[in-house]
Amino acid sequence: MVNDAVHIAVREMKMGFRNPWSYSFMGLFGLFMLCLLLINNGGYVEGYSSITGTMLNLILYLLPLMTLMLGAFSLTGDKEDGSWELLSSYPLRTLSFILGKFAGLAVVLFVLVSFGFGLSAVMGWITGRGLDAHTYILLYGFSISLALMFLAVSFLIGTVAVNRWQALTVAVAVWFFAIIAWSPLLIAVLGMMPYGWIKPSISVFTLFNPAELSRIFAVVKLGGGSVLGPQYYDWVRWIRHPMGSAGYIIAILVWVGASTGLTHWLWERGRAR
């Protein structure tokens, strides 16, 4: 099983690095990160500020969309070009296939994100307008965790989508809901609830949106918890707790595990048919 997963992962990495979409996103991500640092005139940035807040928003807008498209296209591409039909004729377990593809794409995304941050770190050091080490590490960890969770979601999209066009439509819809429409929809829903239900409802809804969960964690860790408002007081206290980071890692593992587990179940059902 492990050997099969490794072979699938290596195959996925080769295909990912040959994909022109990957280099387009890598160039765009690196360019925006670089531009944000160059317009900073205040020297090295530490903690939560206008620059780091803008970077958070940039990552939230660009990285989930990139991840959803790459992951969903990878699975639907295997169905469209007949690769999965060929692979399924071999004694290859579905779990090995899913885990291998997830690991391969995770490496590709890791390289893309690392390039953008590496470029900005080098240019920031040269120009003296970069981020301090702690802020840099927090933003980098935020990006990696965000990519992993949305990669797991993209596998669900690629599983239910019949072709690439359908995968593109669903991926953009999920991205729009999780990133752009989330705040106004949340305000509308909470406005119809009794006051006593608002704080627990926010906690539940936040856990079901990986983008919001990651954003809150990053903002609090950067020292900007006060901008979230009193409704998020419990979140701020929890994240600032010594075990807050461990709890966030557990949340990531639960998100990835639940999404890939459901992907495996759906894929296995389709294979049995």
Side-chain angles (χ1 to χ4, degrees), residues 126-164:
I126 293 175
T127 61
R129 300 177 181 179
L131 307 174
D132 76 296
H134 182 256
T135 303
Y136 181 88
I137 292 172
L138 279 175
L139 287 175
Y140 183 70
F142 160 74
S143 301
I144 295 297
S145 63
L146 188 68
L148 289 176
M149 286 190 282
F150 272 95
L151 180 60
V153 175
S154 73
F155 272 39
L156 285 174
I157 297 173
T159 300
V160 300
V162 178
N163 50 53
R164 287 184 178 90

Side-chain angles (χ1 to χ4, degrees), residues 8-271:
I8 295 296
V10 172
R11 169 180 174 269
E12 197 62 33
M13 283 187 283
K14 291 179 179 179
M15 295 177 62
F17 289 123
R18 292 172 184 168
N19 189 347
W21 279 92
S22 300
Y23 296 101
S24 299
F25 280 121
M26 182 174 66
L28 185 62
F29 187 71
L31 177 63
F32 275 106
M33 291 287 290
L34 183 60
C35 289
L36 285 174
L37 286 180
L38 292 179
I39 65 175
N40 171 38
N41 294 319
Y44 278 89
V45 178
E46 180 178 358
Y48 189 80
S49 64
S50 60
I51 294 296
T52 53
T54 304
M55 284 186 173
L56 278 175
N57 290 330
L58 166 67
I59 296 169
L60 276 172
Y61 276 99
L62 185 59
L63 190 57
L65 180 61
M66 173 180 71
T67 304
L68 288 171
M69 292 176 65
L70 288 177
F73 284 5
S74 176
L75 288 179
T76 52
D78 282 346
K79 290 188 288 186
E80 280 190 306
D81 61 20
S83 297
W84 169 242
E85 292 184 3
L86 176 62
L87 290 173
S88 61
S89 64
Y90 293 97
L92 173 67
R93 297 180 61 180
T94 305
L95 183 60
S96 300
F97 175 73
I98 297 297
L99 293 180
K101 289 187 76 68
F102 186 90
L105 283 173
V107 171
V108 173
L109 288 169
F110 175 80
V111 172
L112 299 184
V113 173
S114 299
F115 173 82
F117 275 89
L119 178 63
S120 64
V122 171
M123 294 305 298
W125 177 74
I126 293 175
T127 61
R129 300 177 181 179
L131 307 174
D132 76 296
H134 182 256
T135 303
Y136 181 88
I137 292 172
L138 279 175
L139 287 175
Y140 183 70
F142 160 74
S143 301
I144 295 297
S145 63
L146 188 68
L148 289 176
M149 286 190 282
F150 272 95
L151 180 60
V153 175
S154 73
F155 272 39
L156 285 174
I157 297 173
T159 300
V160 300
V162 178
N163 50 53
R164 287 184 178 90
W165 285 110
Q166 191 177 70
L168 175 62
T169 302
V170 178
V172 172
V174 171
W175 171 81
F176 181 84
F177 172 78
I179 307 300
I180 297 179
W182 179 258
S183 295
L185 287 176
L186 183 63
I187 293 173
V189 172
L190 294 178
M192 297 184 291
M193 291 183 175
Y195 182 77
W197 292 13
I198 292 179
K199 290 183 70 174
S201 298
I202 287 178
S203 299
V204 173
F205 291 150
T206 300
L207 291 174
F208 282 93
N209 186 347
E212 186 69 4
L213 177 64
S214 300
R215 184 186 72 88
I216 292 174
F217 180 82
V219 169
V220 174
K221 282 295 184 179
L222 288 171
S226 58
V227 304
L228 298 174
Q231 291 81 8
Y232 289 93
Y233 174 75
D234 292 337
W235 280 91
V236 174
R237 185 176 60 178
W238 168 69
I239 293 173
R240 286 178 177 173
H241 191 272
M243 295 300 294
S245 297
Y248 179 64
I249 294 174
I250 292 174
I252 296 172
L253 294 177
V254 170
W255 248 103
V256 173
S259 299
T260 52
L262 183 56
T263 298
H264 171 259
W265 179 73
L266 293 172
W267 204 271
E268 190 69 23
R269 284 189 61 189
R271 186 174 186 177

